[in-house]
Amino acid sequence: MTHTQKHVYLMRGLPGCGKSHKARRLAKPDGVVLETDEYFYTQVGNDVNSYDFSDELLKDAREWNLQRFRNAIVEGISPIVVDRGNGRNPETKEYAAFAVEQGYTIELAEPDSEWWQELRVLLKYKQFTMPILERFAEVLAAKTGQGHRVPAKTILQWMKGWKWDLTVDEILAVKVD
């Protein structure tokens, strides 16, 4: 990668596996990390240290983060790290398509923790490892208890839909209704 190349990283992974830690490292001093969950710290409630999640505000939070992303692109910031689940969905496609239109290179990035590496292998072979993944979902839900509070049932649903070899081209090909 040359110094003039503008870069977007789309972080992938499950809650509690090290996405945010890796995102901060990828952003380096000149980049920015954009996380939808930040909305529930900074835009909701009166305490920036309190995660005030509301399902009713999730759409607003996603739009807020996407707008911050667009602004960062227009400002020419690089690298930009989008710290969310980033899978095969219309929201991720919006990030990717806008970045490509503006001449940014996109790379999918995942946590590099030992914890995530083990879980990633289990996800790759989920048709055989579902009982173990169910236990992992419980552990991850407990890890998010002090922060994002993601239920095990939701994490398990994300695990079932996980595509371990997802590409940027597949994200860009997502059909939007």
Side-chain angles (χ1 to χ4, degrees):
M1 183 169 71
T2 66
H3 293 292
T4 58
Q5 200 170 30
K6 295 177 183 169
H7 208 83
V8 168
Y9 293 98
L10 299 176
M11 290 301 306
R12 295 191 68 227
L14 297 169
C17 286
K19 285 190 314 294
S20 296
H21 180 71
K22 172 97 178 249
R24 287 189 296 275
R25 287 196 337 262
L26 288 171
K28 301 177 186 167
D30 297 329
V32 65
V33 176
L34 302 175
E35 180 180 11
T36 300
D37 279 334
E38 191 176 326
Y39 180 88
F40 299 105
Y41 285 105
T42 64
Q43 308 300 305
V44 180
N46 298 320
D47 181 1
V48 295
N49 296 312
S50 176
Y51 183 69
D52 299 307
F53 180 79
S54 166
D55 202 39
E56 295 82 37
L57 295 175
L58 190 54
K59 183 178 182 202
D60 293 342
R62 287 177 174 156
E63 186 55 42
W64 174 82
N65 201 54
L66 180 60
Q67 189 56 51
R68 293 188 324 143
F69 176 77
R70 289 178 180 141
N71 293 343
I73 294 271
V74 169
E75 291 173 28
I77 295 172
S78 182
I80 300 170
V81 185
V82 180
D83 185 6
R84 53 190 306 271
N86 290 313
R88 295 171 289 175
N89 57 58
E91 292 88 11
T92 302
K93 181 178 181 172
E94 283 188 79
Y95 285 95
F98 189 76
V100 169
E101 288 169 9
Q102 301 301 314
Y104 276 70
T105 299
I106 303 172
E107 184 177 329
L108 298 177
E110 295 181 4
D112 50 13
S113 65
E114 288 181 28
W115 174 256
W116 175 248
Q117 298 309 315
E118 180 181 347
L119 186 51
R120 192 173 194 287
V121 172
L122 293 170
L123 288 166
K124 181 177 180 179
Y125 299 104
K126 63 187 169 195
Q127 70 272 27
F128 306 111
T129 62
M130 198 48 68
I132 300 169
L133 288 171
E134 288 170 0
R135 289 193 298 275
F136 260 99
E138 294 291 337
V139 170
L140 292 174
K143 281 182 79 173
T144 67
Q146 281 91 1
H148 306 325
R149 301 182 301 270
V150 182
K153 180 175 134 184
T154 301
I155 294 171
L156 188 59
Q157 181 181 352
W158 292 338
M159 287 175 166
K160 288 177 180 177
W162 184 262
K163 185 169 188 320
W164 70 275
D165 59 348
L166 184 66
T167 66
V168 172
D169 287 339
E170 287 174 301
I171 290 170
L172 290 169
V174 166
K175 291 189 172 54
V176 179
D177 295 334

